[in-house]
Amino acid sequence: MPTPTTRTPEVSENDVLRAMFAARKEVFVDLLKWDLPVLDGRFEIDQFDTPAAHYLILADEWGRHRASARLLPTDSSHLLGDLYPFLCDGPVPAGPNVREITRFCLDRNQTAGERRMARNQLVTALAEHALATGITDYTGVAEIGWLQQILQFGWLSRPLGRPLRQDGRTLAALHIQIDERTIDGLKRGGVFEPLTFALFGQQELVE
């Protein structure tokens, strides 16, 4: 069941999750052409969408998906540790206060300006959620262009190894430290933009 961290639109929890998984299919499968499993021809869902996964979801006033990210615990199965450990020069960061950010998704049905605003709001939500719940570190795997953006947001972030070519994409692992300096850093980077968000857990998606 979802655990709301702030007030969220009055819509069905299942509808919000369905909209997120549908948006992931539109972005990662239809647009970016990633080879990922698709459920019922509509939802992008993989082996890491388990009860251990949680989702930060930004929705508009009607509950329509704007942006979202999946958070995975790193002391169990996760993308960097299971599939891409070779992207790290040293051990893969892991622990009870470390979460992996995956499936950072900006809905395609927005203008460029709306997507940029949604990006800033989701980055801010990730920082605020971490500070509120005791998360001290985020990790992730990013394509090189996205990595360059992340490193310029103003928070303490660094690559964990050299970018490598994998499956037709140049990928890199990254680490983000979250502490009392994070919000000020995002403000200096011009990214801080708070907005209502909610933390959701996995549940049944199809009847």
Side-chain angles (χ1 to χ4, degrees):
M1 293 294 291
T3 304
T5 53
T6 63
R7 188 170 56 84
T8 189
E10 295 296 328
V11 294
S12 160
E13 300 161 1
N14 212 38
D15 285 347
V16 172
L17 284 166
R18 284 172 179 265
M20 178 196 68
F21 286 116
R24 281 174 32 175
K25 192 260 186 183
E26 290 182 357
V27 170
F28 299 116
V29 178
D30 298 342
L31 178 64
L32 299 179
K33 309 299 182 185
W34 292 5
D35 183 15
L36 300 170
V38 175
L39 175 65
D40 197 29
R42 300 165 58 199
F43 307 116
E44 186 275 296
I45 299 176
D46 70 8
Q47 69 269 36
F48 299 104
D49 290 302
T50 70
H54 288 89
Y55 308 92
L56 284 176
I57 303 174
L58 305 186
D60 67 14
E61 59 186 305
W62 296 280
R64 294 178 300 203
H65 177 273
R66 296 180 58 241
S68 57
R70 180 177 63 187
L71 301 181
L72 298 177
T74 57
D75 46 7
S76 59
S77 183
H78 64 290
L79 202 72
L80 181 57
D82 289 18
L83 302 182
Y84 298 104
F86 56 86
L87 292 176
C88 298
D89 288 341
V92 175
N97 297 322
V98 183
R99 296 291 184 274
E100 181 183 57
I101 302 172
T102 62
R103 295 300 192 267
F104 191 106
C105 180
L106 303 177
D107 202 285
R108 293 181 67 185
N109 300 307
Q110 302 179 97
T111 66
E114 289 169 339
R115 284 195 299 272
R116 183 178 181 85
M117 181 182 297
R119 182 205 69 179
N120 291 350
Q121 290 167 343
L122 185 53
V123 168
T124 300
L126 286 164
E128 292 181 332
H129 171 65
L131 291 168
T133 59
I135 295 171
T136 58
D137 303 85
Y138 283 126
T139 60
V141 176
E143 293 192 50
I144 188 65
W146 179 224
L147 173 69
Q148 291 168 345
Q149 290 187 54
I150 295 170
L151 297 178
Q152 295 175 3
F153 285 162
W155 50 17
L156 296 174
S157 57
R158 63 183 179 88
L160 289 167
R162 294 179 295 106
L164 297 174
R165 195 73 176 167
Q166 181 75 12
D167 300 327
R169 296 180 287 155
T170 302
L171 303 177
L174 68 139
H175 172 263
I176 300 166
Q177 181 181 340
I178 303 293
D179 58 24
E180 69 280 357
R181 298 167 289 179
T182 300
I183 297 300
D184 284 342
L186 295 180
K187 290 178 179 178
R188 288 193 298 272
V191 175
F192 182 73
E193 193 161 351
L195 182 73
T196 295
F197 67 93
L199 177 68
F200 286 81
Q202 179 65 288
Q203 58 179 295
E204 190 67 29
L205 292 176
V206 293
E207 300 295 338

